[in-house]
Amino acid sequence: VDPSKVFAAVAHEMVQCLDVESAGLFRYEAAGWSFVAVSDPAPERWPSAGDGRTLEGDSILARVLRTGRAARMDSYENVAGSTAALARQLGVRGTVGVPVVVDGRLWGGAYVASMVPEPLPPDTEARIGDFADLVSTAIANAATRAELRVSRDSLGVLAEQQAALRRVATLVARGARPSEVYSVVAEEIVRCLDVDTSGVWRYASDNGITLLAGHSRAGTQYLPEGEHLTTEGDNLGAMVLSSGRATRHHSIENATGMAISRIRQLGVREGVAAPITVEGRIWGLAIAATTRSEPMPPDSEERIGDFADLVATAIANAATRAELIASRARIVTAADNTRRRLERDLHDGAQQRLVSLGLQVRLAETKMPTEFSVVKDQLSEVVGGINGVLTELQEISRGIHPAILSEGGLGPALKTLARRSPVPVVLDVAIERRLLESTEVGAYYVVAEALTNVAKHAGASTVDVGARIRDDKLCLLIRDDGIGGADPAKGSGLIGLIDRVEALGGRMRIDSPLAVGTTLHINIPLKQGYS
């Protein structure tokens, strides 16, 4: 139980067991001593618990403190000091006191007091000592429990911090948008650091700061997202930018500047912040603030720094991913432009020359006299050969870059693909407008390559192809009833599809259970909308 209950019980039991008028416990303090517990038939006569006294003069309390052993006084007559004067005031004639030692240190003592002239029995010291030992044990146990509770609380805080960091790290690893990471970090900081408000801020070109995401405890408020504050004066934004390290603003009561004035309106009394450093440059800062008067924990800077590091990682990852997507897009665009140029060169060059040559040979055939029938037959065969080559070039040209895609858009181009597919295609296209050229070209070749894969590997009897616009995305569905078991990790043709889709900033999900078939779910962001 709580030590105070033990103190009261000990004082009461000493009165009962030693048959004395009064007993109690006292504790030594820097300026003297104070009562901890008193048991007396008239407790109102005694000072209340916590009431302190000095130790000048002679008394059992002074003797116990001086010797560290039990002490006895059979009379307080003619004894100097405030403690002796209190004893005479209460009618105390004789006292016995013993030390209470906790962890090798003199904590205080236990005493019994008699109101009769006869001295207390000679075994009183030993009997009180047994009670004093129990008091020592109770105090030591309470200290141990307190330490254990603090340790348990610290472990709980650490576990909560680690769980929060794992949640944020999982978002970062999944490639979540930085804005989503900002919001989650602000929320987790409030929860883990037990503060009232938090925010993720970015430095602007004028060295001011702009709020990207903020969070506040229920019943409190924070600044609106997008608010811009200057950093002149004494504030966390200026302190972090100047030092490049996590820092703390202990009190904003006397601080100056626009940011401080704005924050003061929210009742904030203290804040900590850590820099968000991306590629060696301070990009922004994470802030935690409290409206309470008690100071924030001493490890707050370190703890908020862990969240700031994850924000920096998310930003760096997003930049790397954007660079990768842009690089892929440039490669795909260059390849598509090459295809288009080859198709145009074939159409305007080789095909036109073959058509012209075929017409010339056919003209020569018609002008050939009848007696040269053998030559006429040979010329006819040449014309047929030219037409055959022309047909093959037209097929090659359509494979390189179909003219219908440029002329009619994605819908008609997909219909052409469906007609040419060796596996029957059930087409469901709900696209009524032209899309960006890069999106149309990418989607066309994704479907074309998927149909080629089905024909070569799936053993399917039919293919469903769907295309529609949903939530600013081009959504493609390609589903066959073949053997399934497609796995990009095994080096299948799906890798090229994934690369092309991701080059457009999209995602492709593959479902391919064995003996059921393969389904491709493809989402390509429209980015700039329709063309």
Side-chain angles (χ1 to χ4, degrees):
V1 299
D2 187 86
S4 62
K5 295 183 179 180
V6 177
F7 301 156
V10 164
H12 175 74
E13 293 294 348
M14 285 194 298
V15 168
Q16 299 298 315
C17 291
L18 279 77
D19 192 23
V20 293
E21 290 82 0
S22 181
L25 296 166
F26 58 90
R27 180 173 186 177
Y28 292 114
E29 297 176 347
W33 64 276
S34 64
F35 284 105
V36 175
V38 174
S39 179
D40 188 87
E44 67 277 0
R45 299 185 307 155
W46 291 76
S48 59
D51 191 359
R53 292 288 188 275
T54 60
L55 279 167
E56 84 280 358
D58 192 15
S59 66
I60 60 165
L61 288 79
R63 295 180 182 183
V64 169
L65 178 62
R66 186 172 61 252
T67 65
R69 296 193 299 271
R72 172 187 291 256
M73 291 189 70
D74 293 328
S75 174
Y76 280 93
E77 292 298 326
N78 302 319
V79 178
S82 61
T83 303
L86 176 63
R88 289 192 295 270
Q89 176 186 336
L90 296 171
V92 173
R93 303 292 293 273
T95 57
V96 172
V98 298
V100 173
V101 179
V102 180
D103 292 335
R105 182 179 60 86
L106 184 60
W107 178 88
Y111 73 90
V112 294
S114 172
M115 310 298 179
V116 298
E118 294 79 12
L120 289 160
D123 64 346
T124 301
E125 288 87 343
R127 297 175 67 189
I128 299 177
D130 293 337
F131 286 102
D133 290 342
L134 290 174
V135 172
S136 299
T137 301
I139 296 170
N141 287 350
T144 301
R145 285 195 301 273
E147 292 174 1
L148 180 61
R149 183 166 54 251
V150 170
S151 177
R152 187 183 301 118
D153 291 345
S154 297
L155 287 174
V157 169
L158 178 61
E160 183 178 1
Q161 172 98 354
Q162 294 302 315
L165 290 172
R166 282 196 299 272
R167 287 191 290 270
V168 178
T170 299
L171 275 180
V172 174
R174 289 177 178 171
R177 296 188 306 275
S179 59
E180 183 180 356
V181 176
Y182 305 154
S183 298
V184 173
V185 163
E187 183 177 349
E188 295 289 1
I189 288 175
V190 168
R191 179 171 29 249
C192 291
L193 274 70
D194 192 26
V195 293
D196 297 301
T197 62
S198 71
V200 176
W201 297 77
R202 180 173 187 178
Y203 286 106
S205 57
D206 62 353
N207 287 337
I209 52 176
T210 302
L211 181 62
L212 302 180
H215 189 76
S216 59
R217 190 189 303 277
T220 61
Q221 61 175 341
Y222 199 54
L223 302 175
E225 293 181 8
E227 178 150 349
H228 182 79
L229 302 176
T230 60
T231 55
E232 81 279 358
D234 184 18
N235 56 76
L236 287 171
M239 294 162 70
V240 168
L241 188 61
S242 174
S243 67
R245 299 190 302 271
T247 188
R248 177 184 301 241
H249 208 305
H250 293 282
S251 175
I252 68 169
E253 293 179 2
N254 300 318
T256 60
M258 171 190 175
I260 289 295
S261 299
R262 190 72 175 93
I263 294 297
R264 192 182 287 123
Q265 296 172 4
L266 305 178
V268 171
R269 300 173 66 92
E270 183 184 18
V272 297
I276 299 170
T277 304
V278 181
E279 295 182 353
R281 182 179 61 87
I282 297 180
W283 180 92
L285 71 163
I287 295 178
T290 179
T291 61
R292 287 165 279 185
S293 57
E294 59 269 19
M296 296 174 65
D299 63 346
S300 296
E301 291 92 333
E302 179 182 354
R303 295 174 63 192
I304 196 173
D306 292 337
F307 287 103
D309 290 344
L310 286 175
V311 173
T313 301
I315 296 167
N317 286 355
T320 300
R321 177 173 173 76
E323 292 173 3
L324 177 62
I325 290 174
S327 176
R328 284 178 169 179
R330 287 193 296 269
I331 293 171
V332 171
T333 299
D336 290 340
N337 289 337
T338 300
R339 286 172 179 262
R340 186 180 298 106
R341 186 174 62 255
L342 286 173
E343 184 273 337
R344 184 175 59 251
D345 290 345
L346 285 174
H347 182 272
D348 297 341
Q351 291 185 60
Q352 293 301 322
R353 290 181 62 190
L354 284 173
V355 169
S356 176
L357 182 60
L359 292 175
Q360 293 177 18
V361 174
R362 180 68 69 185
L363 180 60
E365 176 190 357
T366 59
K367 292 183 177 181
M368 188 65 61
T370 54
E371 60 269 22
F372 294 97
S373 58
V374 174
V375 176
K376 290 186 65 174
D377 291 341
Q378 291 176 342
L379 290 175
S380 179
E381 290 179 4
V382 170
V383 170
I386 290 174
N387 289 335
V389 172
L390 181 59
T391 301
E392 290 179 7
L393 275 180
Q394 289 172 341
E395 291 294 324
I396 293 173
S397 177
R398 282 194 293 266
I400 291 175
H401 187 85
I404 193 172
L405 183 61
S406 301
E407 297 169 0
L410 184 60
L414 293 181
K415 292 179 182 179
T416 301
L417 275 180
R419 286 195 300 268
R420 292 166 48 196
S421 172
V423 180
V425 175
V426 178
L427 194 63
D428 179 15
V429 177
I431 300 175
E432 300 177 354
R433 300 181 61 178
R434 294 297 301 268
L435 309 179
L436 290 174
E437 183 182 22
S438 60
T439 303
E440 289 186 338
V441 172
Y444 173 86
Y445 283 114
V446 165
V447 175
E449 292 171 30
L451 292 178
T452 299
N453 287 341
V454 170
K456 289 182 177 180
H457 309 295
S461 61
T462 185
V463 186
D464 295 314
V465 175
R468 60 191 65 252
I469 303 297
R470 185 182 299 119
D471 297 330
D472 292 329
K473 294 183 179 67
L474 171 61
C475 302
L476 300 175
L477 174 69
I478 306 168
R479 179 174 54 223
D480 66 64
D481 59 356
I483 60 175
D487 184 1
K490 296 179 180 179
S492 67
L494 294 174
I495 295 178
L497 294 180
I498 293 173
D499 287 343
R500 181 174 281 277
V501 170
E502 291 187 351
L504 296 170
R507 289 285 186 273
M508 184 171 81
R509 191 179 84 247
I510 303 168
D511 297 324
S512 188
L514 288 172
V516 175
T518 300
T519 302
L520 307 181
H521 302 270
I522 300 163
N523 291 317
I524 300 173
L526 298 182
K527 295 182 180 179
Q528 302 176 29
Y530 297 105
S531 62

